[in-house]
């Protein structure tokens, strides 16, 4: 039997709608000796069971794993992972020319606190909750048993994703298998994935479909890929027939990753150049009309609600520079991956930058996160990636 967390009267409503988070303010009382990561049963104020979840300290006190039960079954993780794999098969993401996708997107795959990205036969796993950290070996073992995908190596990478105060001392390492190559294929293009030292799980899988769209716009264009990281957009622009591609990132490591990925797909192709400089400096220094296809995919400018105002100012300034400099007839791909910035707020920031520039700007496409990053309709917080493709006259 798991310890029981009782909610205050009326605080069960969001759980009845299957929103998976219990906030600390909703909790009537906590049982004694509760440890972070413990399984708990959550009940309403009358003792009626609402579901089972992982307990943690913080504003989110419980992340519900399963509703309407008072214990999870032995094969819980295997079943949830298998459901996630079925969805990726349905989406057509497991193909000889595409072996790189997100298998588990936390709450969006009913596994709150867990992220798993697949790169060939290696799964890179991140725990965002102590509960998932404690289950890491069970999850790793279940991953290798999935009939839908052949996973031989599981790398655990949670040093930076777990709550610091939990003192879990997670260690980044292989839980199963080891290093046997790190080249993954996305839509027929090859990428070196640096899960050991790279950001997140090593690659931004979430831009796959937006990169594919960019490829269609690239022919004959002079492309600037700002905040390039691994050069994903640049590699697609090259295949799309761009005249030239400049990739910019302030991190020398990212610039080296981009160079390596260009070399992997387009060795000795003189169309591509990497610049390890600050994006704002590059935009300020570059001549007007130099580019007619610009990608702005910055890191989250607002990581928390408290940073929202400054984040929006950042998006407005960045986009204003692009509108000021892009060649007439140019196309701008602009993104925000800040979860706290709503689609409307981002659009407003970009539209006000456009208005200020005096350019005539039309929206060609509105972009979002791909289908392997689903969000539960009961958990709208799962939506984070927003983008616009704009035609600038
Ligand atoms: N577009 C990338 C992901 C971008 S991640 C892709 O498709 O994979 C954000 C990147 O912005 C990081 O690589 C980070 O090094 C870089 N970055 C952060 N601040 C920057 C700045 N001021 N100037 C240039 N690059 C910056």
């Amino acid at each position: 039997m798991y310890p029981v967390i009782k909610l205050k009267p009326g605080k069960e409503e969001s759980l009845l709608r299957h929103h998976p988070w219990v906030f600390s303010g909703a909790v009537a009382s906590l049982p004694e000796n509760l440890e972070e990561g413990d399984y708990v049963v959550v009940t309403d104020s009358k003792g009626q069971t609402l579901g089972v979840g992982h307990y943690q300290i913080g504003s989110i006190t419980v992340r519900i794993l399963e509703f309407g039960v008072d214990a999870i079954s032995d094969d819980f993780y295997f079943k949830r992972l298998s459901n996630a794999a079925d969805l990726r098969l349905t989406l057509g993401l497991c193909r000889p020319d595409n072996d790189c996708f997100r298998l588990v997107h936390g709450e969006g795959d009913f596994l709150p606190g867990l992220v798993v990205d697949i790169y060939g036969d290696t799964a890179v796993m991140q725990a965002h909750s102590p509960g998932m950290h404690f289950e890491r070996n069970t999850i790793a073992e279940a991953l290798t048993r999935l009939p839908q995908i052949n996973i031989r190596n599981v790398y655990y990478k949670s040093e930076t994703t777990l709550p610091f105060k939990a003192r879990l001392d997670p260690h980044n390492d292989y839980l199963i298998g080891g290093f046997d190559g790190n080249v993954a294929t996305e839509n027929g293009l090859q990428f070196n994935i640096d899960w050991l030292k790279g950001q997140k799980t090593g690659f931004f899988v979430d831009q796959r479909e937006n990169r594919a769209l960019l490829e269609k716009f690239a022919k004959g264009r002079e492309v600037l890929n700002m905040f390039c990281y691994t050069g994903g957009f640049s590699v697609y622009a090259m295949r799309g027939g761009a005249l030239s591609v400049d990739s910019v990132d302030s991190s020398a490591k990212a610039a080296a990753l981009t160079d390596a990925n260009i070399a992997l797909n387009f060795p000795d192709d003189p169309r591509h150049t990497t610049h390890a400089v600050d994006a704002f400096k590059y935009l300020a220094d570059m001549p007007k009309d130099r580019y007619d296809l610009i990608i702005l995919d910055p890191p989250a400018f607002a990581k928390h609600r408290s940073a929202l105002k400054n984040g929006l100012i950042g998006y407005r300034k960045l986009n204003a520079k692009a509108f000021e400099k892009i060649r007439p007839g140019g196309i701008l791909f602009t993104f925000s991956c800040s979860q706290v910035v709503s689609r409307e707020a981002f659009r407003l920031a970009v539209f006000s930058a456009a208005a200020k520039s005096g350019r005539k700007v039309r929206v060609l496409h509105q972009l979002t996160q791909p289908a392997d990053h689903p969000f539960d309709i009961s958990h709208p917080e799962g939506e984070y990636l927003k983008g616009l493709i704009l035609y600038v006259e």
Side-chain angles (χ1 to χ4, degrees):
M1 276 304 282
Y2 306 141
V4 174
I5 290 185
K6 204 180 242 196
L7 301 186
K8 293 177 185 163
K11 292 294 184 185
E12 69 283 0
E13 272 186 18
S14 66
L15 270 79
L16 292 172
R17 289 196 305 269
H18 285 198
H19 187 286
W21 294 347
V22 177
F23 290 99
S24 55
V27 173
S29 63
L30 286 178
E32 274 177 35
N33 303 325
L34 206 53
E35 300 273 353
E36 273 207 283
D38 281 351
Y39 286 99
V40 288
V41 171
V42 178
T43 74
D44 67 11
S45 60
K46 299 191 188 84
Q48 198 70 34
T49 298
L50 296 166
V52 165
H54 282 142
Y55 164 72
Q56 71 182 86
I57 297 167
S59 80
I60 302 175
T61 301
V62 183
R63 293 170 187 243
I64 299 286
L65 297 162
E66 194 163 355
F67 291 95
V69 297
D70 55 15
I72 60 161
S73 60
D74 289 344
D75 58 357
F76 170 81
Y77 290 98
F78 178 80
K79 276 191 171 158
R80 289 276 155 106
L81 293 171
S82 192
N83 280 343
D86 283 342
L87 176 59
R88 275 59 184 181
L89 287 192
T90 301
L91 297 174
L93 290 173
C94 323
R95 313 186 304 264
D97 70 335
N98 194 88
D99 60 10
C100 165
F101 53 89
R102 177 154 291 192
L103 175 64
V104 178
H105 187 57
E107 283 78 356
D109 285 291
F110 310 120
L111 286 167
L114 183 69
V115 163
V116 180
D117 285 337
I118 303 295
Y119 302 116
D121 53 15
T122 298
V124 181
M125 179 176 148
Q126 280 189 326
H128 292 255
S129 70
M132 287 298 180
H133 172 69
F134 292 132
E135 291 292 8
R136 64 196 181 282
N137 288 309
T138 306
I139 296 165
E141 187 270 332
L143 282 168
T144 60
R145 281 196 289 121
L146 290 175
Q148 302 93 332
I149 319 169
N150 187 18
I151 296 170
R152 294 199 306 176
N153 315 300
V154 180
Y155 185 72
Y156 186 59
K157 191 180 184 193
S158 302
E159 276 176 9
T160 57
T161 56
L162 282 164
F164 173 67
K165 278 192 241 134
R167 298 212 180 87
L168 300 166
D169 196 22
H171 184 58
N172 289 349
D173 207 352
Y174 289 94
L175 299 177
I176 295 179
F179 184 85
D180 73 351
N182 68 331
V183 175
T185 307
E186 185 185 90
N187 288 325
L189 293 164
Q190 299 207 298
F191 291 94
N192 294 284
I193 315 291
D194 188 0
W195 51 78
L196 299 180
K197 297 201 201 77
Q199 303 175 46
K200 307 264 169 110
T201 66
F203 196 55
F204 284 81
V205 216
D206 58 0
Q207 288 287 23
R208 181 186 54 251
E209 282 160 29
N210 300 328
R211 291 193 270 259
L213 202 49
L214 176 96
E215 181 176 355
K216 295 190 191 154
F217 283 94
K219 199 171 176 58
R221 292 200 178 254
E222 297 193 89
V223 180
L224 171 62
N225 180 12
M226 281 302 207
F227 311 94
C228 64
Y229 185 32
T230 57
F233 282 104
S234 306
V235 174
Y236 278 76
M238 296 285 281
R239 188 167 71 179
L243 282 185
S244 70
V245 181
D246 283 328
S247 303
V248 176
D249 200 291
S250 56
S251 146
K253 248 194 277 174
L257 279 171
T258 295
D259 281 337
N261 286 329
I262 294 287
L264 197 59
N265 295 278
F266 302 96
D268 304 319
D269 193 321
R271 290 178 299 156
H272 185 266
T273 315
T274 303
H275 310 263
V277 295
D278 178 80
F280 287 91
K281 178 164 172 29
Y282 191 91
L283 284 169
D285 293 349
M286 78 188 198
K288 239 178 138 171
D289 297 345
R290 166 74 185 82
Y291 300 102
D292 58 358
L293 178 46
I294 298 180
I295 301 123
L296 301 176
D297 184 24
F301 281 169
K303 289 210 166 75
H304 302 284
R305 202 149 281 287
S306 58
L308 184 57
K309 196 166 161 232
N310 283 338
L312 288 171
I313 294 172
Y315 288 116
R316 202 174 63 221
K317 280 193 176 155
L318 178 66
N319 283 278
K321 267 284 165 231
F323 288 127
E324 183 192 319
K325 297 273 176 105
I326 197 166
R327 192 184 305 162
I331 289 170
L332 176 63
F333 277 59
T334 183
F335 296 96
S336 163
C337 61
S338 304
Q339 191 272 332
V340 296
V341 173
S342 70
R343 199 163 280 281
E344 290 68 31
F346 177 62
R347 238 180 10 193
L348 203 63
V350 175
F351 288 4
S352 59
K356 195 167 153 247
S357 73
R359 308 282 296 261
K360 203 166 164 185
V361 177
R362 277 180 284 168
V363 178
L364 304 183
H365 289 273
Q366 306 200 56
L367 308 176
T368 180
Q369 62 215 52
D372 54 341
H373 294 59
F375 62 93
D376 180 357
I377 208 152
S378 310
H379 180 254
E381 295 91 333
E383 185 181 12
Y384 70 100
L385 186 62
K386 304 148 286 281
L388 296 165
I389 306 183
L390 304 168
Y391 186 71
V392 187
E393 287 175 53

